[in-house]
Amino acid sequence: MPGVFPDYPAPVVRNAGAEREMALMRWGMPPPPKFGGAPVTNIRNTSSPHWRGWLKPENRCLVPFNSFAEYAPEPNPETKKKDVIWFAINDDRPLVAFAGVWTEFKGERGTKSKPVPGPHLVYGFLTTAPNSVVEPIHPKAMPVILTTEEERDVWMRAPWDEAKSLQRPLPDDALRIVMRGPDKEDKAAVLHTE
C-alpha cells in the first residue's frame, strides 16, 4: 500500500490466542468520551485511564510500514505548500513496525455523507518524544518504531511494566529522511517491496 490515511483500512498484526494474525483495521481509536471528536490516530499519554485498558497484550498490535511522513513545518518557497517529508530506516525502506493498540468500535465511521455502520476493528499507534531526525520537522512527537524481532515480540507478549520501555525515540542513526516533496504517497517504498 503506497499510502495509509486516517480512517482508511490498513493491515495490522494482532495476537490470536497463541498465534498472530493479520487483519485489516481502520486507523483511528475511539476518543475519550468526555472530549468526543475525531478518532485518535496517535497515542502518547499511556498513563491516561482512557488508554490503559488497551495496553494489555490482547489489545496490542504491530502496524507494519516501510516509510512514514510528516508535513514540513514551513511552506516550500517555490510551491507555497508544505512539502511531505518521508522517513525510513534507510533508502531501501525495510519493513518494520509501529507499536500499536487496537479495539472493536461499534459506532459509525467514514464521512458524514457516507457513514459506514459498525462494528469496526480500529487501531492507533504509540508516539514518543522525537529524535533529532524527526524533531526539526515534527517537534511534538514521533511514532514508536520497533525494528527488531525481539522488540516486536516484547511488545506483543510482555506485561506493560516491561513493554512500556519500548515507548522511546528511535536512535538518531536508525532513521533518515528518504524523500521530500509534494507526494502524499511514497512510491519508492512500493518499488522496494515488490
Side-chain angles (χ1 to χ4, degrees):
M1 298 177 72
V4 174
F5 302 95
D7 207 34
Y8 281 67
V12 172
V13 177
R14 66 179 174 177
N15 290 316
E19 303 291 317
R20 294 191 182 143
E21 68 180 6
M22 186 171 281
L24 280 180
M25 298 188 190
R26 285 179 177 263
W27 184 16
M29 293 286 285
K34 66 180 178 180
F35 298 118
V40 179
T41 55
N42 305 327
I43 300 144
R44 176 120 183 232
N45 183 5
T46 53
S47 64
S48 161
H50 180 69
W51 301 118
R52 276 197 307 252
W54 290 315
L55 296 174
K56 302 179 297 272
E58 55 266 30
N59 285 96
R60 292 191 207 141
C61 62
L62 299 170
V63 183
F65 76 96
N66 300 91
S67 61
F68 70 95
E70 297 287 355
Y71 280 102
E74 303 295 331
N76 181 316
E78 292 175 21
T79 64
K80 309 292 186 237
K81 294 181 180 178
K82 292 183 177 184
D83 284 344
V84 181
I85 312 294
W86 289 90
F87 300 90
I89 301 304
N90 60 46
D91 289 330
D92 290 337
R93 295 159 171 82
L95 187 64
V96 290
F98 297 138
V101 294
W102 73 276
T103 193
E104 183 178 287
F105 176 67
K106 297 188 183 339
E108 289 183 345
R109 293 297 286 267
T111 62
K112 287 183 182 180
S113 63
K114 293 182 183 171
V116 180
H120 300 281
L121 297 179
V122 297
Y123 74 95
F125 52 80
L126 268 58
T127 61
T128 188
N131 66 13
S132 68
V133 178
V134 175
E135 196 270 338
I137 308 303
H138 196 269
K140 291 182 180 176
M142 70 177 290
V144 172
I145 300 170
L146 308 174
T147 60
T148 68
E149 190 58 42
E150 181 184 3
E151 289 173 339
R152 292 185 288 271
D153 182 60
V154 167
W155 178 249
M156 294 299 280
R157 65 157 181 79
W160 179 243
D161 283 352
E162 182 182 351
K164 69 181 179 184
S165 67
L166 296 169
Q167 190 178 15
R168 77 318 180 222
L170 207 57
D172 295 342
D173 62 356
L175 191 70
R176 67 172 56 171
I177 293 173
V178 293
M179 191 169 77
R180 180 183 187 122
D183 286 344
K184 290 186 173 75
E185 294 180 347
D186 183 3
K187 295 176 180 89
V190 175
L191 295 174
H192 284 285
T193 59
E194 288 182 345

